Amino acid sequence: MKLLPDIEVVGLGQASLDFLGITSFFPRENEKSELQNVEIQCGGPASTAMVTLARLGIRTSFLGSISDDFFGREIVKGLKKEGVDFSLLTIRPGHTSQVAFIAISPQNGNRTIFWHRGSVPPLKREEVALAHFPKARILHVDGLMIEAAIEAARQARKMGWKIVMDAGTLRQGSPDLIRFVDIVVASEGFAKALVGPGAPMEKALEAFMEMGAGKAVITLGAQGSVGCENGKIIFQRSYPVMAVDTTGAGDVYHGAYIYGVLQHWDMAACMRFASAVAAMKCRRIGARDGIPRLEEVWSFIEDQE
């Protein structure tokens, strides 16, 4: 068995090739809108979180399922460029990998995403083997390959790892995964789908605890984030930046939050650091180009306070 003893965090989930462009306006049906600043970058929740950690100096590995098509080859190039281990990434020839087309508003950097999962089959339960990572400490799952994620969570729990979940969209099987999770970092959309659009976020935090999560955080975009640790509600403001593109901000928040967990910080410190890193990312187009290095983050936080 191949052993990767230097890996500290393993991410399991999706990777994507993103085509991004700034649009002057969003056209109605059967209209046209010219795109500006068209770029091609890699994205995907779990893979971008691993890239974030790699930029911050953490050794990571990404597990997922892609094909050998153009999209898949670019995904591999993106991981290799960032120093994320992909030696156990499953590559299934003859299929299509995940791809997204992203239109960005020039007013506030908000993005509209059209994405295709691809024809490549998801990672199978029997293909998950965390024993390859004898010294890893954290498993991060994005819940998009639910059977493989649950199996990985089972294995991680037996090995004494912490398990962090990116709860982006409420899907069938999400509650089954949450009961294995130590920390849920959820989107506002996931929270509203769970408890209803009019319910306070505190109710969603309570719901995550009742489902079995040890701790929970909900990201609220420009409104910051709110979390619950040991029964205490914690609010973290967002850091003001000139936002060019919010694509991947949540994914980056997850990776930066995990960095704090590795440092044994409390929730408030993890949220503060993650909010800063996510804000900095938004200053450039794409999920990854704007992810800062560690020294840049501390300088940014110091300037903001």
Side-chain angles (χ1 to χ4, degrees):
M1 176 186 290
K2 178 179 181 178
L3 296 181
L4 298 165
D6 61 333
I7 300 299
E8 298 176 78
V9 181
V10 177
L12 187 151
Q14 292 283 12
S16 172
L17 185 65
D18 297 344
F19 294 79
L20 310 104
I22 297 175
T23 180
S24 57
F25 71 97
F26 283 85
R28 292 174 296 184
E29 185 176 353
N30 208 33
E31 287 187 343
K32 297 179 181 180
S33 176
E34 184 177 359
L35 292 175
Q36 309 164 31
N37 304 87
V38 174
E39 294 196 19
I40 302 175
Q41 289 187 35
C42 294
S47 57
T48 298
M50 295 304 100
V51 169
T52 302
L53 282 160
R55 290 268 181 103
L56 297 171
I58 303 299
R59 289 286 297 139
T60 63
S61 183
F62 175 67
L63 305 179
S65 177
I66 64 171
S67 193
D68 60 349
D69 59 341
F70 171 76
F71 304 149
R73 294 194 300 272
E74 290 300 308
I75 288 168
V76 168
K77 287 180 185 177
L79 294 170
K80 184 176 181 180
K81 173 185 174 183
E82 299 292 345
V84 176
D85 172 70
F86 57 90
S87 61
L88 297 177
L89 176 64
T90 299
I91 301 176
R92 309 185 199 279
H95 296 277
T96 57
S97 305
Q98 184 172 311
V99 63
F101 298 88
I102 303 172
I104 305 161
S105 168
Q107 282 76 36
N108 52 21
N110 287 342
R111 77 286 187 271
T112 301
I113 301 175
F114 302 87
W115 70 287
H116 177 57
R117 191 182 299 267
S119 66
V120 62
L123 197 65
K124 300 175 183 177
R125 180 187 294 112
E126 58 269 22
E127 293 175 316
V128 178
L130 299 188
H132 291 280
F133 310 100
K135 294 186 179 180
R137 293 187 279 163
I138 293 179
L139 169 70
H140 179 56
V141 291
D142 61 24
L144 287 166
M145 292 186 282
I146 196 69
E147 291 188 2
I150 290 174
E151 176 58 28
R154 286 196 182 104
Q155 293 182 25
R157 176 168 285 188
K158 289 180 181 178
M159 298 169 71
W161 301 8
K162 285 188 180 296
I163 304 162
V164 181
M165 178 183 176
D166 169 359
T169 302
L170 182 59
R171 295 180 170 85
Q172 183 177 0
S174 295
D176 297 323
L177 178 57
I178 288 173
R179 69 187 181 90
F180 288 98
V181 171
D182 296 291
I183 305 167
V184 173
V185 183
S187 69
E188 185 177 10
F190 189 107
K192 288 181 177 179
L194 187 65
V195 297
M201 290 296 99
E202 288 81 2
K203 184 176 179 181
L205 292 170
E206 292 174 5
F208 286 125
M209 303 299 184
E210 292 170 359
M211 295 165 73
K215 302 176 183 179
V217 175
I218 300 170
T219 57
L220 305 171
Q223 281 67 54
S225 52
V226 60
C228 183
E229 181 178 45
N230 299 323
K232 179 182 177 182
I233 300 298
I234 301 166
F235 177 76
Q236 171 64 48
R237 70 178 178 90
S238 62
Y239 285 89
V241 295
M242 186 66 71
V244 174
D245 178 19
T246 61
T247 301
D251 309 332
V252 171
Y253 185 106
H254 301 142
Y257 190 99
I258 290 170
Y259 180 88
V261 174
L262 289 168
Q263 312 310 311
H264 306 289
W265 297 343
D266 63 15
M267 176 173 279
C270 290
M271 291 171 65
R272 172 174 169 263
F273 183 82
S275 294
V277 178
M280 295 175 75
K281 181 241 80 71
C282 293
R283 299 180 301 184
R284 296 182 64 179
I285 289 178
R288 299 182 183 174
D289 270 9
I291 300 172
R293 305 287 178 181
L294 187 59
E295 60 274 12
E296 297 175 280
V297 183
W298 292 127
S299 178
F300 175 84
I301 292 174
E302 184 178 349
D303 290 343
Q304 293 286 326
E305 297 181 352

